[in-house]
Amino acid sequence: MLNQELIREEYGFLDGEIFLNVSQVCMPPKRVQQAYGSFMDNYVKCFGEGVVDTAWRIVHGCRPKLAQMIHAAHNHEIGFVKNTAEGMGILASGYPLKPGDNVVIADQEHQSTLFPWINAHQTRGIALNIVHHENNEISTEKMIGAIDEHTKVLIVSSAQFSTGFMADLKALGEACRARGVVFAVDGIQTLGRIEMNVQEMCIDYLVAGSNKGLLGSLGCGFIYCSDRIVGQIIPPYAGYQSTVSHVSPPSVTSNFESLEWYPHARRFESGNLSYNCILAVDKGVELLLELGVPNIEAHVLGLERYLRTKIADLPLQVVQPRDEKHWSGIVCIYYPKEHEQEVIEILKSKHIHCTMRGGYIRLGIDFYNTYEQMDTVSDALHSVGALAK
């Protein structure tokens, strides 16, 4: 069961607002808000003295929390990046691929996940085995069936950003492991809301920005990279943070022939990081661990089930995976574009905050949402539905 008292302490500031936009940006809890500002306050108070040492203590303190949340075998399998695109780009540019190799990827992927592989196709000569969706669903069987003797990597989002369709990560991971294919996952739409176990799911490489379910901030993300493959990935940039140095400043390097990369995910951290953002992630994940991600998942999917039942009679297209195992706490609805301003006014009148673009509403459910709020959302959507009649 979720600790409702703790949720009220952290989210009392919402005060009647219904925030359902976690699939785009998070609403950070109080502890994250306070931590983010405190980094700069402390920096100024000490005139920057010792700030780098303090910052790296933050980094080393956050790694084990992320590792615990995703059930990684080792803390050192966690590395920090700016965002999902950077994390996916490191794999697409740094994993050993050659012309004639291919990767398997679905056609619905977000640009941050898809574009690094199109770039690898253009610059490295690899082929893309594109799996096309059917009725807004990505077939597990077709993804596995697209693997051939030349496939090196299979890439998928844990949940598709435009439909909420949740991939069968365990089935895909087991198939990749059996075939010697790297299994890479964009987890930004589910991490923090749906339980993920990288070992049970045979995930080799997981990347996510922190600005959604992780309750962190824009400008920070993380990589999980299994020890199985990390040594094969050469990062696109190098620095003193990502390589082993055998001298200490002000001494200078005497080896001008080669670099010794760290043998773990720190090799992806080439220089100073967004330490204040990592502190925000640290506090966000801290709250998630206190609440328990399995508890969060049960609550989120319970709310989704309740809302879908309430809106089953809508005269609008509601994107709904046929099997509940593909639900992710994201509900997408299409409405007549010509009524956009009226839809905006309906949602605003009910204090509903969600993703809304011409003809499309996306509701991202999280642990601070309630059944009463789902009743209000249902009322609002039925008002939207009335516009279509």
Side-chain angles (χ1 to χ4, degrees):
M1 295 288 290
L2 283 173
N3 184 337
Q4 294 297 333
E5 182 178 351
L6 178 57
I7 293 172
R8 283 192 293 272
E9 288 176 5
E10 295 287 349
Y11 281 95
F13 64 88
L14 288 177
D15 193 26
E17 300 297 310
I18 302 175
F19 188 80
L20 289 163
N21 205 21
V22 70
S23 294
Q24 183 173 42
V25 291
C26 72
M27 186 51 55
K30 280 187 177 179
R31 69 178 71 185
V32 170
Q33 299 172 37
Q34 293 164 354
Y36 190 87
S38 71
F39 181 87
M40 186 57 67
D41 289 342
N42 292 331
Y43 185 109
V44 172
K45 285 177 183 176
C46 68
F47 295 93
E49 186 175 338
V51 69
V52 174
D53 290 339
T54 298
W56 276 95
R57 283 195 293 271
I58 292 169
V59 173
H60 296 319
C62 190
R63 285 192 216 277
K65 292 177 184 175
L66 284 164
Q68 179 184 346
M69 189 183 70
I70 64 172
H71 305 278
H74 307 287
N75 297 340
H76 65 240
E77 292 176 310
I78 303 297
F80 290 97
V81 291
K82 295 193 297 295
N83 47 50
T84 305
E86 182 181 33
M88 193 60 74
I90 288 171
L91 181 65
S93 64
Y95 190 73
L97 298 168
K98 62 184 185 303
D101 292 337
N102 70 63
V103 301
V104 174
I105 192 166
D107 64 346
Q108 285 194 328
E109 294 296 343
H110 190 276
Q111 294 93 323
S112 295
T113 300
L114 178 59
F115 285 4
W117 296 101
I118 295 177
N119 183 48
H121 166 67
Q122 288 183 305
T123 60
R124 306 184 69 187
I126 66 167
L128 304 181
N129 287 359
I130 305 294
V131 176
H132 297 278
H133 73 279
E134 295 180 358
N135 299 317
N136 294 310
E137 298 191 6
I138 306 297
S139 167
T140 303
E141 292 73 24
K142 286 192 173 183
M143 289 288 285
I144 295 172
I147 298 172
D148 61 29
E149 66 272 22
H150 301 294
T151 302
K152 302 301 180 184
V153 187
L154 185 147
I155 307 102
V156 73
S157 290
S158 55
Q160 294 299 320
F161 80 102
S162 59
T163 64
F165 181 83
M166 176 80 172
D168 189 342
L169 298 178
K170 192 170 190 296
L172 291 171
E174 289 175 347
C176 288
R177 186 64 53 87
R179 293 162 174 79
V181 172
V182 170
F183 184 35
V185 176
D186 169 1
I188 195 170
Q189 290 294 350
T190 58
L191 279 169
R193 301 187 309 116
I194 304 293
E195 177 77 347
M196 293 185 70
N197 186 318
V198 293
Q199 295 188 77
E200 287 186 359
M201 294 172 173
C202 300
I203 296 172
D204 296 302
Y205 194 87
L206 172 70
V207 60
S210 71
N211 57 298
K212 299 184 183 181
L214 294 180
L215 310 178
S217 172
L218 295 164
C220 183
F222 83 97
I223 291 169
Y224 156 79
C225 186
S226 167
D227 284 345
R228 292 179 64 254
I229 68 166
V230 69
Q232 301 175 63
I233 303 171
I234 303 302
Y237 33 70
Y240 76 100
Q241 306 279 27
S242 57
T243 57
V244 179
S245 178
H246 298 285
V247 298
S248 299
S251 299
V252 295
T253 299
S254 58
N255 177 8
F256 300 99
E257 298 299 323
S258 63
L259 295 171
E260 182 182 349
W261 296 100
Y262 276 113
H264 43 66
R266 186 168 169 180
R267 65 171 53 202
F268 307 128
E269 301 167 348
S270 65
N272 282 320
L273 306 173
S274 298
Y275 300 116
N276 60 323
C277 296
I278 294 173
L279 180 58
V281 176
D282 180 85
K283 294 303 178 183
V285 175
E286 177 184 85
L287 176 58
L288 295 173
L289 293 174
E290 287 178 25
L291 292 171
V293 177
N295 296 331
I296 294 171
E297 176 180 338
H299 181 74
V300 165
L301 296 182
L303 289 178
E304 179 177 4
R305 189 175 301 109
Y306 180 76
L307 177 60
R308 288 190 182 279
T309 300
K310 295 278 291 185
I311 63 175
D313 61 341
L314 273 183
L316 301 170
Q317 179 191 355
V318 180
V319 179
Q320 180 163 321
R322 291 165 292 178
D323 191 328
E324 282 193 28
K325 75 177 183 180
H326 295 298
W327 292 9
S328 64
I330 299 172
V331 179
C332 302
I333 304 104
Y334 287 85
Y335 63 87
K337 279 184 173 181
E338 61 271 21
H339 293 293
E340 179 156 336
Q341 190 55 45
E342 294 157 280
V343 174
I344 291 172
E345 291 170 2
I346 289 169
L347 296 175
K348 186 176 181 180
S349 71
K350 298 289 187 179
H351 301 274
I352 296 170
H353 304 268
C354 60
T355 305
M356 181 183 162
R357 300 185 178 100
Y360 171 81
I361 293 171
R362 182 180 61 188
L363 307 169
I365 303 169
D366 213 338
F367 60 84
Y368 40 74
N369 296 125
T370 66
Y371 284 87
E372 292 76 16
Q373 290 179 349
M374 297 304 104
D375 289 333
T376 302
V377 171
S378 173
D379 290 343
L381 291 176
H382 279 89
S383 296
V384 173
L387 300 173
K389 295 180 179 179

